Structure formats: C-alpha cells, structure tokens
Amino acid sequence: MILYVESAAEGEISEGCADEIESSGKSSDTHCLMVQFAMDVPFSYRADEAGLAPGPLLNPDGRQIDKATVTDGVPGAKHVTISEFYAGGKPGSTLRWEIGSNEQDWKTLKYQVPKLDAFQPINFS
C-alpha cells in the first residue's frame, strides 16, 4: 500500500508524516510517501525467521531517502507488515526493499511508484 500524504492535513497519518519530516526530512518537504510492506512466510521456509527490510526510495529529483528498519516473521506467519514514511517521497519515485535472512540470503525488490494521476483521493473523516 502506498499513500501520498500531505503533512499539513488533519489526522494521524498526516501527523505521522509531519513527525517524519521534522526528524529526518528537509525544511522544504510538505509531503511523504507512506508505504506499507507485507509478506507471508511459508511454513517450509528453511530458517528460523524471514526479514522484511524497507530500503531506499529514489524520488524523481534524484534524492535518495534511506530507511534502516526490519521486521521478522517466523515460518508460517501470514501478513507480516511494516510501514514507513518517506519524507520528501513523491509519486514517480523508485522504491526498493529486501526480503530474506542471513541463513537463506537476501533478495532486493524494486517498484516504480505510479505518477500522481494514478493515486485516488482518500477522505478519512
């Protein structure tokens, strides 16, 4: 799931974006991309756990926004999730993340975030 979030709007998601801008963004940032990553870990996974690590986002202006977090799921776990705000992230960015483990190797995945016209407005009020 990817949301394009305005930091000045009302609500918890916008507040989360504003907090991320304050802690790791630039003073000119007004929006974030909020990305929720999810995975299932097969029962047959041959390690004690599998990791899901949000990686760097490269925005269309060439700005790299790094993340250094990971969540783990044990074999058989369903819908293991982690969410991240990318302060300064924009539609049209390239997103990377890794899945795997130190026992079974890591695989890097990549996704091209759609342009702004592909995003649908959401009103949570």
Side-chain angles (χ1 to χ4, degrees):
M1 173 194 67
I2 301 175
L3 299 174
Y4 187 48
V5 181
E6 181 183 355
S7 64
E10 291 185 27
E12 288 182 34
I13 295 175
S14 293
E15 289 173 13
C17 174
D19 290 346
E20 183 68 17
I21 290 170
E22 185 177 323
S23 68
S24 65
K26 294 183 175 184
S27 61
S28 59
D29 290 335
T30 59
H31 289 75
C32 300
L33 282 179
M34 179 187 169
V35 182
Q36 182 183 61
F37 302 86
M39 71 172 178
D40 294 339
V41 183
F43 279 106
S44 61
Y45 193 71
R46 293 180 296 140
D48 287 335
E49 58 191 16
L52 172 60
L57 179 136
L58 182 66
N59 80 11
D61 303 326
R63 178 176 163 197
Q64 180 171 315
I65 304 162
D66 293 314
K67 291 295 166 182
T69 57
V70 65
T71 192
D72 297 311
V74 297
K78 300 284 186 197
H79 200 66
V80 177
T81 62
I82 186 170
S83 296
E84 286 290 344
F85 284 101
Y86 288 86
K90 301 176 182 180
S93 296
T94 303
L95 181 63
R96 289 176 173 77
W97 68 99
E98 293 184 313
I99 56 171
S101 72
N102 292 340
E103 298 172 50
Q104 294 294 315
D105 295 324
W106 290 89
K107 180 178 181 181
T108 300
L109 302 169
K110 184 168 73 169
Y111 178 72
Q112 186 69 37
V113 177
K115 300 287 185 189
L116 183 59
D117 60 354
F119 281 75
Q120 298 297 311
I122 299 174
N123 184 351
F124 290 106
S125 51

